mmCIF file of all heavy atoms in Angstrom:
data_model
loop_
_atom_site.group_PDB
_atom_site.id
_atom_site.type_symbol
_atom_site.label_atom_id
_atom_site.label_comp_id
_atom_site.label_asym_id
_atom_site.label_seq_id
_atom_site.Cartn_x
_atom_site.Cartn_y
_atom_site.Cartn_z
ATOM 1 N N ARG N 99 50.727 -86.882 149.139
ATOM 2 C CA ARG N 99 49.313 -86.831 149.532
ATOM 3 C C ARG N 99 49.107 -85.781 150.608
ATOM 4 O O ARG N 99 48.157 -85.010 150.573
ATOM 5 C CB ARG N 99 48.847 -88.195 150.036
ATOM 6 C CG ARG N 99 48.569 -89.163 148.918
ATOM 7 C CD ARG N 99 48.080 -90.474 149.427
ATOM 8 N NE ARG N 99 46.763 -90.323 150.047
ATOM 9 C CZ ARG N 99 46.210 -91.239 150.795
ATOM 10 N NH1 ARG N 99 46.827 -92.376 151.042
ATOM 11 N NH2 ARG N 99 45.023 -91.045 151.305
ATOM 12 N N GLU N 100 49.993 -85.748 151.574
ATOM 13 C CA GLU N 100 49.887 -84.751 152.646
ATOM 14 C C GLU N 100 50.120 -83.346 152.098
ATOM 15 O O GLU N 100 49.454 -82.405 152.493
ATOM 16 C CB GLU N 100 50.882 -85.058 153.763
ATOM 17 C CG GLU N 100 50.518 -86.279 154.571
ATOM 18 C CD GLU N 100 49.115 -86.188 155.159
ATOM 19 O OE1 GLU N 100 48.742 -85.122 155.706
ATOM 20 O OE2 GLU N 100 48.375 -87.179 155.054
ATOM 21 N N LYS N 101 51.068 -83.219 151.180
ATOM 22 C CA LYS N 101 51.357 -81.897 150.629
ATOM 23 C C LYS N 101 50.177 -81.367 149.820
ATOM 24 O O LYS N 101 49.826 -80.192 149.922
ATOM 25 C CB LYS N 101 52.610 -81.930 149.763
ATOM 26 C CG LYS N 101 52.938 -80.564 149.226
ATOM 27 C CD LYS N 101 54.371 -80.417 148.872
ATOM 28 C CE LYS N 101 54.606 -78.990 148.412
ATOM 29 N NZ LYS N 101 55.896 -78.522 148.754
ATOM 30 N N VAL N 102 49.531 -82.204 149.015
ATOM 31 C CA VAL N 102 48.395 -81.723 148.221
ATOM 32 C C VAL N 102 47.231 -81.357 149.141
ATOM 33 O O VAL N 102 46.528 -80.375 148.886
ATOM 34 C CB VAL N 102 47.984 -82.730 147.124
ATOM 35 C CG1 VAL N 102 47.181 -83.880 147.668
ATOM 36 C CG2 VAL N 102 47.207 -82.027 146.025
ATOM 37 N N ARG N 103 47.032 -82.075 150.213
ATOM 38 C CA ARG N 103 45.994 -81.706 151.183
ATOM 39 C C ARG N 103 46.283 -80.338 151.784
ATOM 40 O O ARG N 103 45.394 -79.498 151.920
ATOM 41 C CB ARG N 103 45.910 -82.740 152.300
ATOM 42 C CG ARG N 103 45.198 -83.990 151.919
ATOM 43 C CD ARG N 103 45.043 -84.889 153.133
ATOM 44 N NE ARG N 103 44.517 -86.169 152.732
ATOM 45 C CZ ARG N 103 44.988 -87.332 153.126
ATOM 46 N NH1 ARG N 103 46.009 -87.383 153.965
ATOM 47 N NH2 ARG N 103 44.451 -88.444 152.708
ATOM 48 N N LYS N 104 47.537 -80.131 152.159
ATOM 49 C CA LYS N 104 47.955 -78.857 152.764
ATOM 50 C C LYS N 104 47.766 -77.708 151.779
ATOM 51 O O LYS N 104 47.236 -76.649 152.138
ATOM 52 C CB LYS N 104 49.426 -78.987 153.166
ATOM 53 C CG LYS N 104 49.971 -77.891 154.002
ATOM 54 C CD LYS N 104 51.402 -78.271 154.383
ATOM 55 C CE LYS N 104 52.061 -77.213 155.197
ATOM 56 N NZ LYS N 104 53.441 -77.581 155.534
ATOM 57 N N ILE N 105 48.174 -77.915 150.527
ATOM 58 C CA ILE N 105 48.037 -76.885 149.496
ATOM 59 C C ILE N 105 46.569 -76.576 149.245
ATOM 60 O O ILE N 105 46.166 -75.412 149.191
ATOM 61 C CB ILE N 105 48.745 -77.326 148.198
ATOM 62 C CG1 ILE N 105 50.260 -77.273 148.382
ATOM 63 C CG2 ILE N 105 48.311 -76.466 147.011
ATOM 64 C CD1 ILE N 105 51.049 -77.869 147.239
ATOM 65 N N MET N 106 45.750 -77.600 149.071
ATOM 66 C CA MET N 106 44.326 -77.394 148.786
ATOM 67 C C MET N 106 43.616 -76.699 149.947
ATOM 68 O O MET N 106 42.795 -75.804 149.741
ATOM 69 C CB MET N 106 43.634 -78.712 148.461
ATOM 70 C CG MET N 106 44.062 -79.314 147.162
ATOM 71 S SD MET N 106 43.563 -78.260 145.803
ATOM 72 C CE MET N 106 44.124 -79.191 144.425
ATOM 73 N N ARG N 107 43.921 -77.124 151.158
ATOM 74 C CA ARG N 107 43.284 -76.529 152.332
ATOM 75 C C ARG N 107 43.629 -75.043 152.448
ATOM 76 O O ARG N 107 42.754 -74.198 152.604
ATOM 77 C CB ARG N 107 43.729 -77.272 153.594
ATOM 78 C CG ARG N 107 42.966 -76.898 154.838
ATOM 79 C CD ARG N 107 43.378 -77.735 156.045
ATOM 80 N NE ARG N 107 43.206 -79.160 155.784
ATOM 81 C CZ ARG N 107 44.197 -80.061 155.845
ATOM 82 N NH1 ARG N 107 45.420 -79.687 156.147
ATOM 83 N NH2 ARG N 107 43.965 -81.319 155.590
ATOM 84 N N PHE N 108 44.910 -74.713 152.345
ATOM 85 C CA PHE N 108 45.333 -73.319 152.466
ATOM 86 C C PHE N 108 44.804 -72.464 151.321
ATOM 87 O O PHE N 108 44.196 -71.415 151.534
ATOM 88 C CB PHE N 108 46.864 -73.215 152.512
ATOM 89 C CG PHE N 108 47.337 -71.796 152.453
ATOM 90 C CD1 PHE N 108 47.356 -71.011 153.587
ATOM 91 C CD2 PHE N 108 47.716 -71.226 151.242
ATOM 92 C CE1 PHE N 108 47.755 -69.684 153.529
ATOM 93 C CE2 PHE N 108 48.115 -69.913 151.171
ATOM 94 C CZ PHE N 108 48.136 -69.140 152.323
ATOM 95 N N SER N 109 45.048 -72.892 150.096
ATOM 96 C CA SER N 109 44.707 -72.076 148.932
ATOM 97 C C SER N 109 43.205 -71.914 148.759
ATOM 98 O O SER N 109 42.737 -70.847 148.363
ATOM 99 C CB SER N 109 45.313 -72.684 147.667
ATOM 100 O OG SER N 109 46.709 -72.702 147.766
ATOM 101 N N GLY N 110 42.443 -72.961 149.039
ATOM 102 C CA GLY N 110 40.992 -72.862 148.927
ATOM 103 C C GLY N 110 40.441 -71.799 149.855
ATOM 104 O O GLY N 110 39.677 -70.920 149.436
ATOM 105 N N LYS N 111 40.849 -71.847 151.100
ATOM 106 C CA LYS N 111 40.384 -70.852 152.072
ATOM 107 C C LYS N 111 40.877 -69.457 151.696
ATOM 108 O O LYS N 111 40.126 -68.484 151.789
ATOM 109 C CB LYS N 111 40.870 -71.213 153.472
ATOM 110 C CG LYS N 111 40.192 -72.439 154.039
ATOM 111 C CD LYS N 111 40.779 -72.807 155.377
ATOM 112 C CE LYS N 111 40.179 -74.098 155.904
ATOM 113 N NZ LYS N 111 40.821 -74.526 157.152
ATOM 114 N N HIS N 112 42.111 -69.369 151.272
ATOM 115 C CA HIS N 112 42.713 -68.083 150.896
ATOM 116 C C HIS N 112 41.938 -67.425 149.747
ATOM 117 O O HIS N 112 41.610 -66.242 149.810
ATOM 118 C CB HIS N 112 44.174 -68.318 150.497
ATOM 119 C CG HIS N 112 44.901 -67.098 150.067
ATOM 120 N ND1 HIS N 112 45.508 -66.238 150.957
ATOM 121 C CD2 HIS N 112 45.134 -66.586 148.835
ATOM 122 C CE1 HIS N 112 46.076 -65.255 150.293
ATOM 123 N NE2 HIS N 112 45.867 -65.446 149.002
ATOM 124 N N LEU N 113 41.654 -68.183 148.713
ATOM 125 C CA LEU N 113 40.972 -67.628 147.537
ATOM 126 C C LEU N 113 39.504 -67.313 147.817
ATOM 127 O O LEU N 113 38.979 -66.316 147.327
ATOM 128 C CB LEU N 113 41.097 -68.590 146.358
ATOM 129 C CG LEU N 113 42.508 -68.683 145.771
ATOM 130 C CD1 LEU N 113 42.616 -69.853 144.817
ATOM 131 C CD2 LEU N 113 42.895 -67.396 145.086
ATOM 132 N N ILE N 114 38.848 -68.141 148.603
ATOM 133 C CA ILE N 114 37.438 -67.895 148.925
ATOM 134 C C ILE N 114 37.307 -66.627 149.749
ATOM 135 O O ILE N 114 36.413 -65.816 149.526
ATOM 136 C CB ILE N 114 36.816 -69.115 149.625
ATOM 137 C CG1 ILE N 114 36.656 -70.247 148.607
ATOM 138 C CG2 ILE N 114 35.467 -68.768 150.248
ATOM 139 C CD1 ILE N 114 36.303 -71.579 149.213
#
Side-chain angles (χ1 to χ4, degrees):
R99 282 182 67 193
E100 289 304 315
K101 182 156 183 147
V102 78
R103 283 186 188 134
K104 190 175 178 181
I105 288 172
M106 291 295 182
R107 190 176 303 121
F108 172 82
S109 298
K111 290 176 184 175
H112 179 85
L113 289 168
I114 289 169

